[in-house]
Amino acid sequence: GMKACKDSFKKHLFSFIFGPALKLIEAVFDLLIPLFMKAVIDLAKYGDVSLFPNNAFISKSLANFIRLFPSFNFDNRIISDAIICFIIILAMGLVGFAITMITQYIAARTASEVGYDIRKMTFEKIMTFSKKNREQIKQSKLITILNADTYQVQQGVLIFIRLIVRAPFIILGALIISFLLSVECGFVFLSIIPLVLFIVLFIMKKSSKGYLSIQSKLDDISLKTSDTIEGIKVIKAFNKQEKENNYWFYYWCSIII
């Protein structure tokens, strides 16, 4: 299983690099939007970049960028700055949307192909097992590996490409910017991060235990489904359809709950 994953990941290495790189650009745009808004507000407040406070170098840089564009010949320069800022933010939003769509496509395609590769390699490996090996592992377990486990790998690939770079970069970038804008605000933001990490780690720990329990139940479902289908004639002969339906209903409820 691990070898199949590694081989498939190597095969799609470009997507695992290019996809997160695009999400990194999108994250930069997300962080820049509120900074551009602050820059245009500072321009409205001070009137000229030279009057900005000395420590407002981020706003100064972005305000200078805004002033690079020609004004719209309004009597009030503030309105021109606001329109230019709006166009810049709109452009970043449109580019960010395009990047998101491209990355979503890359993630979905790569996840699908990785899932196919792993299923194919796993199935080929299962075919090399002797009958004794298959009986030891159990047919239900093999079915779960081919279906549920490979699906989880696909979901992992989707999450990796879409969030592995973006989420940490957004958090780190927001923390750095908050310190640059206001030290007090930075420390407030920093104090929240350990709590967030604790909650995430706690959920991950609980999820991993629950996942193993669900996998065991999925094995049981595969086995019972196979037995039910094989014994359908006997079930019908003894008119036990309703009993089987009720069994499956309560069994699924136990998994969901």
Side-chain angles (χ1 to χ4, degrees):
M2 287 301 296
K3 186 180 183 300
C5 289
K6 287 179 181 178
D7 290 345
S8 185
F9 290 166
K10 287 178 183 177
K11 181 179 172 183
H12 299 92
L13 186 61
F14 175 77
S15 296
F16 284 108
I17 296 172
F18 185 60
L22 287 176
K23 295 300 284 186
L24 187 62
I25 297 171
E26 182 196 339
V28 171
F29 286 164
D30 286 346
L31 291 172
L32 282 176
I33 287 172
L35 296 179
F36 267 106
M37 294 178 68
K38 183 180 187 303
V40 79
I41 290 169
D42 287 344
L43 279 171
K45 180 180 179 181
Y46 298 106
D48 193 81
V49 181
S50 60
L51 300 175
F52 279 31
N54 292 328
N55 62 347
F57 60 92
I58 295 178
S59 283
K60 277 185 176 181
S61 301
L62 296 180
N64 279 321
F65 180 74
I66 291 171
R67 286 286 171 93
L68 286 175
F69 297 92
S71 66
F72 287 85
N73 297 321
F74 286 103
D75 294 335
N76 191 342
R77 184 62 196 264
I78 295 171
I79 298 175
S80 293
D81 292 336
I83 292 172
I84 293 167
C85 183
F86 169 76
I87 293 171
I88 292 170
I89 290 174
L90 180 63
M92 287 195 297
L94 292 173
V95 173
F97 177 75
I99 288 172
T100 299
M101 292 297 100
I102 293 168
T103 311
Q104 293 289 83
Y105 173 77
I106 291 171
R109 186 183 179 91
T110 305
S112 178
E113 290 177 355
V114 167
Y116 170 79
D117 290 341
I118 293 173
R119 283 191 185 95
K120 184 173 181 291
M121 285 185 272
T122 304
F123 183 77
E124 288 172 353
K125 181 66 177 178
I126 290 171
M127 288 298 98
T128 65
F129 292 170
S130 66
K131 185 179 179 181
K132 184 179 179 182
N133 291 145
R134 289 198 296 270
E135 287 175 352
Q136 285 177 339
I137 299 173
K138 292 182 182 179
Q139 181 180 336
S140 59
K141 180 67 176 176
L142 295 175
I143 293 171
T144 302
I145 290 170
L146 283 170
N147 292 324
D149 291 359
T150 51
Y151 176 75
Q152 292 300 326
V153 173
Q154 283 184 225
Q155 294 301 107
V157 171
L158 278 172
I159 293 170
F160 180 89
I161 293 176
R162 289 163 53 189
L163 296 176
I164 193 67
V165 171
R166 188 182 187 281
F169 186 82
I170 286 284
I171 294 172
L172 183 62
L175 177 63
I176 293 170
I177 290 169
S178 63
F179 268 107
L180 292 173
L181 295 177
S182 169
V183 176
E184 294 84 358
C185 179
F187 276 113
V188 170
F189 188 69
L190 183 63
S191 65
I192 296 171
I193 290 177
L195 176 63
V196 173
L197 290 175
F198 173 77
I199 293 171
V200 169
L201 291 173
F202 176 77
I203 292 172
M204 286 177 65
K205 188 177 179 181
K206 289 289 184 182
S207 298
S208 61
K209 290 180 180 178
Y211 176 75
L212 293 174
S213 174
I214 288 173
Q215 288 301 93
S216 176
K217 289 183 177 181
L218 285 173
D219 292 346
D220 197 24
I221 283 177
S222 297
L223 178 62
K224 284 181 168 59
T225 302
S226 178
D227 290 344
T228 301
I229 292 171
E230 288 177 6
I232 191 70
K233 289 183 179 180
V234 177
I235 293 170
K236 284 185 175 182
F238 286 92
N239 197 26
K240 296 292 183 180
Q241 296 96 315
E242 188 175 344
K243 181 181 177 182
E244 289 293 323
N245 288 336
N246 290 334
Y247 168 80
W248 284 112
F249 173 76
Y250 289 116
Y251 194 89
W252 277 109
C253 286
S254 70
I255 292 177
I256 293 168
I257 294 169

